[in-house]
Amino acid sequence: AQSVSQHNHHVILSEAASLELGCNYSYGGTVNLFWYVQYPGQHLQLLLKYFSGDPLVKGIKGFEAEFIKSKFSFNLRKPSVQWSDTAEYFCAGGGGGNKLTFGTGTQLKVEL
Amino acid sequence: ETGVTQSPTHLIKTRGQQVTLRCSSQSGHNTVSWYQQALGQGPQFIFQYYREEENGRGNFPPRFSGLQFPNYSSELNVNALELDDSALYLCASSPISGEQFFGPGTRLTVL
């Protein structure tokens, strides 16, 4: 069965701290992986995606993620977070046709 | 370019009633997917429509049904509402294998 799990449900960081949010997937065959962000009061937006090729993927707003096939992981990173990064972050996976399986989400709070 | 829109934004129903939620897809997108997001959970895939045909379904009972129209807009219908159907319902449009763009969602409360 396809599944995506996120390790951290709530994360609190100070501004300028580094961020790493964990995501593991369980998929058979080809997998496409995504990170979405939901800012307070806004709808889901795509941060970055991995389909194939370079396992280090760069997204918007300074975020990046690394696909490690041997660990079934796709962790999200940012070297220095800002207060405006406060949001809920979702990892998602999908096979062909874009039917996404989401993790439960990580609520990130960045304190000034 | 108009994004994905959903209506209504909020809805309150009672158990046993039926509800219809609507979604207008982004211009140029022929695929619409529907997701249910319960409180504190990630979105769960309900089903997808591609060119007016159902193109995959998640683990939801048949009382969840949908339609896609020739202009690629879509409806989600839920019959015999249950308390556990209370959730945020998200619509996403895309090309068949491209990036999904999400709408703001419809918050359904079942009393």
Side-chain angles (χ1 to χ4, degrees):
Chain A
Q2 301 169 345
S3 68
V4 174
S5 61
Q6 293 181 240
H7 315 305
N8 318 98
H9 297 294
H10 292 89
V11 173
I12 301 174
L13 294 173
S14 299
E15 264 204 329
S18 64
L19 169 73
E20 181 161 2
L21 301 182
C23 172
N24 285 94
Y25 66 91
S26 171
Y27 264 82
T30 302
V31 57
N32 301 322
L33 295 164
F34 308 81
W35 276 96
Y36 282 85
V37 61
Q38 190 167 30
Y39 297 104
Q42 297 187 28
H43 52 260
L44 278 169
Q45 301 173 42
L46 183 68
L47 268 180
L48 48 80
K49 60 188 176 187
Y50 172 78
F51 281 9
S52 64
D54 189 343
L56 185 61
V57 180
K58 294 192 183 299
I60 61 171
K61 304 188 180 186
F63 286 91
E64 65 178 31
E66 186 174 10
F67 171 64
I68 304 180
K69 190 174 182 180
S70 61
K71 295 184 179 180
F72 300 94
S73 70
F74 188 59
N75 292 355
L76 180 71
R77 300 194 294 245
K78 186 171 184 179
S80 175
V81 295
Q82 300 173 304
W83 178 79
S84 58
D85 293 325
T86 294
E88 189 156 21
Y89 293 81
F90 293 94
C91 183
N98 246 353
K99 305 170 186 72
L100 298 179
T101 299
F102 282 83
T104 52
T106 297
Q107 187 69 52
L108 171 66
K109 182 178 179 182
V110 180
E111 297 179 330
L112 294 170
Chain B
E1 181 178 86
T2 304
V4 179
T5 60
Q6 293 186 243
S7 62
T9 53
H10 295 86
L11 203 52
I12 300 175
K13 292 284 189 178
T14 56
R15 275 186 302 173
Q17 285 189 310
Q18 178 266 342
V19 69
T20 297
L21 311 181
R22 294 178 175 84
C23 171
S24 291
S25 60
Q26 188 162 315
S27 176
H29 290 176
N30 55 17
T31 303
V32 172
S33 303
W34 285 92
Y35 295 83
Q36 180 196 67
Q37 186 177 11
L39 202 61
Q41 301 294 318
Q44 282 198 301
F45 175 71
I46 303 175
F47 44 55
Q48 182 183 87
Y49 278 83
Y50 170 62
R51 292 187 176 177
E52 302 178 59
E53 297 286 332
E54 188 177 289
N55 183 43
R57 187 178 185 93
N59 189 26
F60 281 81
R63 59 190 185 84
F64 285 77
S65 62
L67 282 174
Q68 187 179 32
F69 300 99
N71 66 355
Y72 302 130
S73 65
S74 177
E75 285 182 355
L76 163 65
N77 298 290
V78 187
N79 294 322
L81 283 167
E82 300 176 0
L83 295 179
D84 285 349
D85 296 333
S86 294
L88 181 68
Y89 288 84
L90 298 169
C91 167
S93 76
S94 66
I96 184 59
S97 59
E99 175 185 341
Q100 294 194 27
F101 290 82
F102 283 82
T106 293
R107 174 74 62 187
L108 173 64
T109 302
V110 182
L111 302 175

